[in-house]
Amino acid sequence: MALRAAIRNKSALPGLLSQLSCSSHGRVSTSSVFVAQQRKNSTTPKISVDFDQSTGVAVMRMKSPPVNSLSLDFLTEFCISVEKLEMDKSCRGLIITSSLPKVFSAGLDIMEMYGKSPERCGEFWKAVQEMWLKLYSSNMVTIAAINGSSPAGGCLMSITCDYRIMVDNPRYSIGLNETQLGIVAPFWFKDTMSNTVGHRTTEMALALGLLYNPTEALKIGLVDQIVPEDKLMATAEQTMAKWLAIPDHARQITKSMMRKPTLDKLVSKREADIQNFVGFITKDSIQKSLRVYLEMLKKRKA
């Protein structure tokens, strides 16, 4: 059953959720959910994928102007692309970057959360969960080549990868800054960041909605390496080669050992997390905060 139809039909959700299970390598089996889901209206592709069969490495470029916002359509296309690569056993590594200048991803599309029905909000949030589940459990080596700012959901996508390389430009920033918008990062955002930079740093970062420049992000371990912009992709390819030199089974089992408890936590609470998000985001006070933020953006553009 397609994901969107399943969310509209709440009675179908238990059956849909029962399909989610982690293999011995930590992969979340959800192929029937997203591969079967096709958008009715064709739109300009938001993702491009170049797969080099000689190296076993794919490069995924996000190309949804102006800022690669994570809309429902974007997330659907993203998850389908990852799923196709995951199913191709010759693909061992994935580098994720942006084709847009100055931005990796600006995060969740606020218009998916403002003025939408509870049903639509639930549909959107399930797609956000799916993006995280697919990347965090992937058997591929995943490297984020961060060529611009990456706040909020863009940061989540980055820290879900195995390794992060960011362009060394003080104008770029990265972090989970949801509280600045009056939104609370859910437990699995928190867990992912805590697994990356530690509990206390995460507590401060989430409470204050901090954004870090590349040097600061490197210092706290939010990114693993910073490089000049013209060295970004070459560095990502060199780093990928080092990771792929490790036997796949050993690397995959180690990754599962480290990540499976965090994955299982969301899988077991997935429906409750959707309901919590919908209940929170549709509150009048939260909608007001989002409206104020959108008005501020309009004034800034003007």
Side-chain angles (χ1 to χ4, degrees):
M1 177 180 290
L3 177 61
R4 297 186 185 186
I7 292 176
R8 292 192 181 99
N9 179 9
K10 293 185 178 180
S11 64
L13 277 170
L16 179 65
L17 295 176
S18 68
Q19 297 176 38
L20 300 169
S21 59
C22 292
S23 72
S24 60
H25 290 166
R27 180 184 297 181
V28 176
S29 177
T30 54
S31 59
S32 62
V33 177
F34 265 91
V35 171
Q37 179 177 339
Q38 299 293 332
R39 286 170 296 162
K40 294 180 179 179
N41 300 320
S42 61
T43 59
T44 303
K46 296 172 172 56
I47 302 288
S48 68
V49 178
D50 296 310
F51 177 39
D52 186 340
Q53 291 186 333
S54 66
T55 63
V57 177
V59 176
M60 177 184 290
R61 291 179 173 85
M62 299 179 286
K63 53 175 190 176
S64 182
V67 291
N68 287 327
S69 293
L70 306 182
S71 65
L72 179 57
D73 281 348
F74 180 99
L75 290 165
T76 301
E77 187 174 335
F78 182 94
C79 289
I80 290 173
S81 298
V82 172
E83 180 72 18
K84 287 179 179 178
L85 294 173
E86 196 80 55
M87 293 174 68
D88 186 341
K89 300 306 179 185
S90 66
C91 185
R92 301 173 62 215
L94 173 62
I95 298 171
I96 301 174
T97 192
S98 168
S99 64
L100 305 181
K102 302 179 182 179
V103 62
F104 180 75
S105 170
L108 304 185
D109 189 340
I110 293 179
M111 295 310 297
E112 293 282 7
M113 299 180 278
Y114 178 69
K116 296 294 189 294
S117 68
E119 179 184 65
R120 172 73 181 200
C121 289
E123 187 177 0
F124 169 66
W125 196 244
K126 197 171 192 73
V128 179
Q129 293 176 333
E130 191 74 12
M131 178 270 290
W132 180 84
L133 287 166
K134 285 196 178 299
L135 281 184
Y136 209 56
S137 68
S138 176
N139 277 338
M140 298 180 290
V141 175
T142 54
I143 294 178
I146 309 166
N147 58 321
S149 290
S150 190
C155 177
L156 177 71
M157 181 185 290
S158 300
I159 61 178
T160 299
C161 293
D162 296 312
Y163 196 86
R164 289 158 292 286
I165 307 167
M166 189 171 187
V167 168
D168 187 9
N169 186 328
R171 295 183 178 180
Y172 298 162
S173 60
I174 184 171
L176 296 178
N177 62 322
E178 279 81 358
T179 53
Q180 291 189 23
L181 309 182
I183 302 173
V184 178
F187 70 87
W188 43 285
F189 282 51
K190 179 266 295 180
D191 289 347
T192 309
M193 189 163 186
S194 184
N195 291 347
T196 305
V197 301
H199 183 91
R200 179 56 179 163
T201 299
T202 297
E203 184 176 15
M204 292 286 288
L206 295 188
L208 299 176
L210 298 179
L211 290 172
Y212 302 89
N213 66 38
T215 300
E216 294 167 338
L218 179 65
K219 184 177 180 180
I220 67 169
L222 192 57
V223 299
D224 300 298
Q225 199 172 349
I226 56 176
V227 297
E229 190 151 11
D230 61 351
K231 304 291 185 182
L232 178 63
M233 294 309 294
T235 303
E237 291 167 2
Q238 292 164 8
T239 302
M240 179 64 76
K242 292 178 181 178
W243 280 72
L244 292 181
I246 305 298
D248 285 348
H249 72 280
R251 175 183 52 76
Q252 291 165 354
I253 293 171
T254 300
K255 182 174 183 176
S256 174
M257 179 174 62
M258 298 299 296
R259 296 188 173 196
K260 192 172 186 297
T262 306
L263 287 160
D264 287 348
K265 188 175 177 182
L266 176 59
V267 170
S268 65
K269 300 179 179 179
R270 193 170 185 184
E271 176 61 17
D273 181 62
I274 293 172
Q275 296 306 319
N276 286 339
F277 171 77
V278 172
F280 177 80
I281 207 67
T282 55
K283 285 183 179 179
D284 290 342
S285 59
I286 302 304
Q287 287 292 302
K288 181 179 179 181
S289 294
L290 293 176
R291 182 171 66 252
V292 169
Y293 180 73
L294 288 170
E295 289 172 352
M296 181 190 72
L297 288 179
K298 289 179 180 179
K299 290 179 181 179
R300 187 181 298 174
K301 290 179 181 179

